[in-house]
């Protein structure tokens, strides 16, 4: 029985995603507030292509999702 409030990651590929500090920061930020890639770039001080790369990895693993797309 798993303790309440504790997330156990059983998929090694997903666990590997959490090993990167930038991805952990991105997840932390978007958990608390809806942010665009441009918002994350400003907040994290990283370049756009790097942030988008990490967002895509998180999306592909089902850990993040687009909530809207501005055109």
């Amino acid at each position: 029985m798993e303790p309440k409030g504790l997330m156990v990651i059983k998929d090694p590929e997903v666990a590997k995603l959490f090993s990167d500090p930038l991805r952990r920061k991105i997840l932390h930020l978007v958990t608390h507030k809806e942010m665009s890639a441009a918002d994350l770039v400003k907040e994290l001080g990283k370049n756009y292509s790097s942030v988008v790369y990490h967002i895509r990895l998180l999306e592909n693993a089902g850990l993040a999702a687009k909530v809207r797309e501005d055109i």
Side-chain angles (χ1 to χ4, degrees):
M1 182 173 168
E2 295 174 17
K4 285 189 171 196
L6 182 64
M7 182 174 81
V8 177
I9 301 168
K10 297 179 181 178
D11 183 338
E13 292 303 312
V14 172
K16 196 166 134 179
L17 289 174
F18 280 101
S19 70
D20 185 277
L22 181 56
R23 287 192 285 267
R24 288 195 310 267
K25 287 180 187 176
I26 290 170
L27 283 171
H28 175 77
L29 289 169
V30 300
T31 298
H32 298 285
K33 178 181 171 185
E34 183 180 309
M35 299 181 83
S36 68
D39 294 333
L40 290 166
V41 166
K42 289 177 191 173
E43 181 73 28
L44 298 168
K46 301 291 182 183
N47 68 48
Y48 186 83
S49 62
S50 175
V51 169
V52 169
Y53 169 79
H54 289 285
I55 290 171
R56 283 192 183 131
L57 290 175
L58 295 169
E59 286 176 334
N60 290 341
L63 299 172
K66 290 179 186 174
V67 292
R68 65 186 165 124
E69 195 166 324
D70 295 336
I71 299 175

